[in-house]
Amino acid sequence: MGGSHSREDLELSDSDEEEYETEQEAEEEDNYEDSRDETPDRSASSSKRRPKTPSSLEEVEAKLRAMKLKYPSTAQNVNAVKLYLHVGGNTPKAKWVTSEKLTSYVFFKSSKINSQDDDEEEDDDDDEGENEEGWWVLKVGSKVRVKVSMEVQLKTFKNQLRVDFVAQGVWAMKFFSQEDYKRFVDKFQDCLFENTHGYESTEVNKMKVYGKDFIGWAKPEAADDSMWEDADDSFLKSPQSATPVRASQDLREEFEEAANGGIQSLALGALDNSFLVGDSGIQVVKNFSNGIHGKGVFVNFNGGNNRNSSNMVNSTPKKALLMRAETNMLLMSPVNEAKPRTNGLHQLDIETGKIVTEWRFEKDGTDITMRDITNDSKGAQLDPSGSTFLGLDNNRLCRWDMRDRNGIVQNLVNDSISTPVLNWAQGHQFSRGTNFQCFATTGDGSIVVGSLDGKIRLYSINSMRQARTAFPGLGSPITHVDVTFDGKWILGTTDTYLIIICALFTDKDGKTKTGFNGRMGNRIAAPRLLKLNPLDSHLAGIDNKFHNAQFSWVTENGKQERHLVATVGKFSVIWNFQQVKDGSHECYLNQEGLKSCYCYKIVLKDDSIVDSRFMHDKYAVSDVPEAPLVIATPMKVSSFSISSKQ
């Protein structure tokens, strides 16, 4: 299990550089060859010797002129940097090695992102590629060439004049002056904006992308962050607030059990049982104050009601939704892996272990599809009489009712009903352009929806036709979304980062409201990002992406979510929510742009993680500040508690 700071953060101090140069100069050739061996070098040739780190900018320029670097003017010589490569992963032997003691970087446009034949491409442009077609690319010496994107995971260290990033390895660049550092960071942000949104990074275009009310998305320093701080104060002063997690607390594994195999999703219950949805059926496990364990009943998809079982096994359910005091479960299976949508779902009676019916989605006599379903509210699964739930498709948001149009519960046992039709009780079918991907509900039933373009929309409990608030996207699709029980905080998942949005605002009468029930105006706090540091991002693997980030689970007014968890590859990553909200936290010092929190804990498993979720708050015992965390891989399920180190 990793700590809140990775070994990637080993400081590159000037004294370390001087010590390296004076004590290791005699072995310099061997050291550089070692470095080259561990570097994904893009060039077939490299110099036999490297010059010492210069002591002044004038000497830098002289060295660059002597090296005959291909720049159109001496003004470009300010692009001089020292390049480091991180080796040793997250082991005790981890360290930074000098890859190039003196090199330079350049931003240019190219349609050949991974091409090595870029010398002519750079030479033809006299202004860092600004007149070329294609994407902005960062090239550093002969070792690094990468498209400017969020996948680079750029992390800034203003006080060290340093940036770290990922490009087929973990790299660090040190600059020789504050001006050099700022020039690079500003240019990187400009290139990132253009690559992401397709517009040149100008004030007019930023206003076009984000809107006048959300200028904090583009200029975080100009945003009103008081809501973050006010929320912190109220949380700390509240007599019902939970104990924040301290540095002396850690995660401790309580249980690890082999599952029946092929776990696809978790359905955690707030009552006695939780459920592991797998390839061939559902395994029922018991809830305890220190996790879930104990093999109980196994519901096989081939059993139960024969009238429906043949359709049930077409594909493994990807979504399981508990209902009616957790005595029933709705199972949603996609048409196939390439198409996440479906035109119906199955209802499982947990007490009998049988599929009691197969429902069909229909509107105005026509079959329609859904890509996701969720409960009416955060605690709706505990309602014994619940008959409604929410549905989402690319351009649809609606409420389905299992009763008929007269409010009568349909007779599911009657064999004469081949496929009952769900009643479209409320909703809206948008003409085009929404590209909804995911949604979640608050304690009172307000709805938050994430979209392909990165937008996050807030709908009140009264209307699904028009969003009360629409937060602009940062360019990455929202693949999963969650919201706190009180509706004050939104958590969005993208492939490379998580975004937390404060939905609080003060109206014209001085009352504090959320964006679910009023127009927020222009006093909107800038969002905050949660990221892996470059080393952990690299270790997680290039093909592994964040998924299913969610808050800890409360269903009671006056209680505050304490943590949030996300999954990426074999990592389960946990952030302390109170720490994230603390604007003075050390993680936010010396950063550029939106505040990004890198302080987290990692649970590493042997296999890719299917899902990570906190159990219901009722299972947080008095001497433990959080309910157990449940982590599922395809073959195992583990439970962890947050405990104080001895």
Side-chain angles (χ1 to χ4, degrees):
M1 180 176 64
S4 58
H5 288 285
S6 166
R7 297 186 66 84
E8 168 251 23
D9 287 333
L10 296 172
E11 186 169 333
L12 307 178
S13 67
D14 292 337
S15 60
D16 291 339
E17 294 171 27
E18 292 170 4
E19 181 181 354
Y20 176 87
E21 292 168 5
T22 56
E23 296 183 6
Q24 305 295 331
E25 188 172 8
E27 300 177 8
E28 186 178 19
E29 182 65 26
D30 293 336
N31 287 343
Y32 285 133
E33 288 182 0
D34 290 344
S35 173
R36 285 195 294 272
D37 289 343
E38 297 181 80
T39 302
D41 198 344
R42 293 183 176 274
S43 174
S45 63
S46 59
S47 60
K48 294 292 183 181
R49 301 277 293 179
R50 302 296 199 278
K52 291 183 180 179
T53 302
S55 58
S56 67
L57 185 58
E58 290 75 13
E59 189 176 345
V60 172
E61 294 177 348
K63 294 288 186 183
L64 290 173
R65 284 193 294 271
M67 294 168 68
K68 298 182 180 179
L69 295 175
K70 299 175 181 179
Y71 290 114
S73 68
T74 57
Q76 295 288 355
N77 292 349
V78 294
N79 288 0
V81 293
K82 188 168 184 176
L83 182 66
Y84 297 84
L85 173 68
H86 192 279
V87 297
N90 207 20
T91 68
K93 294 183 178 180
K95 62 180 180 178
W96 290 100
V97 297
T98 307
S99 179
E100 295 190 51
K101 297 181 75 175
L102 181 62
T103 187
S104 59
Y105 71 87
V106 63
F107 291 98
F108 64 96
K109 279 189 175 179
S110 174
S111 58
K112 299 175 288 186
I113 301 300
N114 297 316
S115 172
Q116 298 181 25
D117 302 324
D118 53 59
D119 289 340
E120 292 183 7
E121 206 169 355
E122 296 168 50
D123 289 342
D124 292 341
D125 189 87
D126 291 338
D127 200 10
E128 287 199 318
E130 293 183 9
N131 296 317
E132 293 186 22
E133 296 298 325
W135 305 99
W136 281 106
V137 174
L138 168 64
K139 184 173 183 291
V140 187
S142 62
K143 306 294 179 70
V144 176
R145 176 185 171 121
V146 63
K147 177 185 173 182
V148 176
S149 67
M150 293 297 287
E151 285 75 13
V152 172
Q153 297 288 358
L154 188 79
K155 182 179 181 183
T156 60
F157 299 84
K158 186 176 181 180
N159 58 330
Q160 298 183 43
L161 302 182
R162 163 189 166 195
V163 297
D164 294 0
F165 60 95
V166 178
Q168 295 185 346
V170 182
W171 305 87
M173 289 166 53
K174 277 203 82 170
F175 302 86
F176 297 105
S177 73
Q178 183 68 43
E179 292 74 16
D180 293 348
Y181 165 83
K182 187 177 188 306
R183 184 182 297 107
F184 173 87
V185 173
D186 289 347
K187 183 65 177 178
F188 184 93
Q189 295 296 342
D190 288 344
C191 294
L192 178 62
F193 180 89
E194 186 170 340
N195 278 357
T196 301
H197 300 288
Y199 300 106
E200 184 182 354
S201 180
T202 65
E203 295 302 316
V204 172
N205 287 337
K206 288 177 182 178
M207 191 74 71
K208 180 188 299 184
V209 169
Y210 299 122
K212 62 182 179 63
D213 290 340
F214 299 93
I215 196 61
W217 266 240
K219 291 183 176 181
E221 66 279 0
D224 178 13
D225 261 6
S226 61
M227 281 301 177
W228 288 89
E229 308 307 327
D230 290 346
D232 286 345
D233 292 341
S234 62
F235 176 68
L236 291 171
K237 293 174 183 176
S238 170
Q240 293 135 328
S241 55
T243 305
V245 174
R246 303 181 299 275
S248 61
Q249 291 171 338
D250 204 354
L251 287 163
R252 182 181 65 204
E253 188 170 29
E254 300 286 355
F255 303 110
E256 181 178 78
E257 290 187 347
N260 284 1
I263 297 176
Q264 295 289 331
S265 63
L266 284 173
L268 294 184
L271 301 177
D272 295 333
N273 300 315
S274 288
F275 309 87
L276 311 178
V277 182
D279 291 331
S280 58
I282 297 172
Q283 181 177 333
V284 184
V285 292
K286 282 286 187 180
N287 291 337
F288 295 93
S289 60
N290 50 3
I292 64 172
H293 65 103
K295 294 183 178 179
V297 177
F298 186 82
V299 180
N300 194 310
F301 290 148
N302 290 317
N305 191 326
N306 292 329
R307 176 168 54 87
N308 295 311
S309 61
S310 60
N311 292 326
M312 189 65 200
V313 294
N314 283 344
S315 62
T316 303
K318 298 299 183 184
K319 179 82 174 191
L321 192 70
L322 290 167
M323 292 189 68
R324 295 179 176 173
E326 300 179 357
T327 61
N328 280 245
M329 180 184 293
L330 299 181
L331 297 166
M332 190 172 182
S333 304
V335 175
N336 55 56
E337 292 294 331
K339 296 181 179 180
R341 293 144 66 181
T342 182
N343 56 10
L345 47 78
H346 294 78
Q347 183 177 349
L348 170 71
D349 186 320
I350 295 172
E351 294 177 340
T352 64
K354 294 182 178 180
I355 301 294
V356 294
T357 195
E358 177 184 353
W359 292 99
R360 193 172 77 248
F361 297 122
E362 181 183 290
K363 185 179 188 299
D364 300 330
T366 303
D367 287 347
I368 62 174
T369 59
M370 291 280 113
R371 67 177 300 133
D372 200 4
I373 56 174
T374 196
N375 294 111
D376 284 333
S377 66
K378 280 278 186 186
Q381 71 186 58
L382 301 176
D383 181 0
S385 61
S387 294
T388 61
F389 61 94
L390 300 177
L392 185 80
D393 201 21
N394 289 11
N395 297 309
R396 299 185 184 102
L397 175 62
C398 65
R399 177 172 281 106
W400 294 107
D401 196 333
M402 291 185 286
R403 299 166 296 190
D404 66 18
R405 295 185 182 278
N406 296 316
I408 301 174
V409 177
Q410 300 188 51
N411 183 8
L412 307 181
V413 182
N414 189 342
D415 288 339
S416 64
I417 303 177
S418 57
T419 306
V421 176
L422 289 161
N423 175 29
W424 174 293
Q426 180 189 4
H428 188 67
Q429 187 162 296
F430 300 87
S431 58
R432 66 182 188 278
T434 53
N435 285 317
F436 294 149
Q437 299 291 297
C438 49
F439 65 159
T441 53
T442 66
D444 68 0
S446 299
I447 307 167
V448 53
V449 184
S451 301
L452 189 65
D453 59 3
K455 287 184 179 179
I456 293 179
R457 297 173 171 87
L458 308 186
Y459 293 86
S460 73
I461 58 175
N462 299 317
S463 174
M464 298 182 186
R465 178 177 293 273
Q466 184 172 2
R468 287 295 184 95
T469 303
F471 296 104
L474 294 176
S476 300
I478 302 296
T479 60
H480 188 269
V481 71
D482 196 15
V483 57
T484 55
F485 183 82
D486 56 19
K488 295 178 180 178
W489 308 96
I490 313 296
L491 174 61
T493 305
T494 75
D495 288 349
T496 53
Y497 61 88
L498 312 180
I499 179 171
I500 292 190
I501 297 174
C502 178
L504 292 168
F505 74 100
T506 303
D507 68 9
K508 61 182 180 180
D509 297 323
K511 296 179 180 179
T512 300
K513 296 182 177 179
T514 71
F516 289 101
N517 49 33
R519 176 174 169 76
M520 296 184 70
N522 59 7
R523 293 194 69 226
I524 300 174
R528 293 184 182 173
L529 305 183
L530 308 181
K531 297 181 179 180
L532 293 181
N533 62 44
L535 176 59
D536 287 335
S537 177
H538 179 64
L539 294 176
I542 190 171
D543 295 325
N544 289 316
K545 302 173 175 59
F546 274 124
H547 67 268
N548 291 3
Q550 46 209 332
F551 292 106
S552 50
W553 186 16
V554 301
T555 57
E556 185 179 340
N557 284 320
K559 289 193 173 182
Q560 177 67 64
E561 292 78 358
R562 308 175 185 98
H563 294 86
L564 50 97
V565 62
T567 298
V568 52
K570 298 179 181 180
F571 294 169
S572 181
V573 191
I574 303 102
W575 278 267
N576 177 344
F577 188 30
Q578 181 62 25
Q579 198 172 65
V580 171
K581 290 189 288 185
D582 181 5
S584 62
H585 177 55
E586 61 177 341
C587 211
Y588 299 134
L589 302 178
N590 298 301
Q591 288 191 5
E592 305 286 341
L594 293 173
K595 289 179 178 173
S596 300
C597 184
Y598 296 93
C599 290
Y600 47 78
K601 291 185 180 294
I602 288 178
V603 176
L604 173 64
K605 304 301 290 183
D606 295 330
D607 200 357
S608 292
I609 296 173
V610 173
D611 205 355
S612 306
R613 296 192 179 194
F614 284 100
M615 294 179 66
H616 190 273
D617 183 69
K618 68 180 280 187
Y619 290 103
V621 295
S622 58
D623 59 340
V624 178
E626 182 61 275
L629 173 67
V630 178
I631 300 176
T633 65
M635 303 305 295
K636 294 181 180 179
V637 60
S638 306
S639 299
F640 292 81
S641 64
I642 294 178
S643 59
S644 298
K645 292 181 179 179
Q646 301 300 322

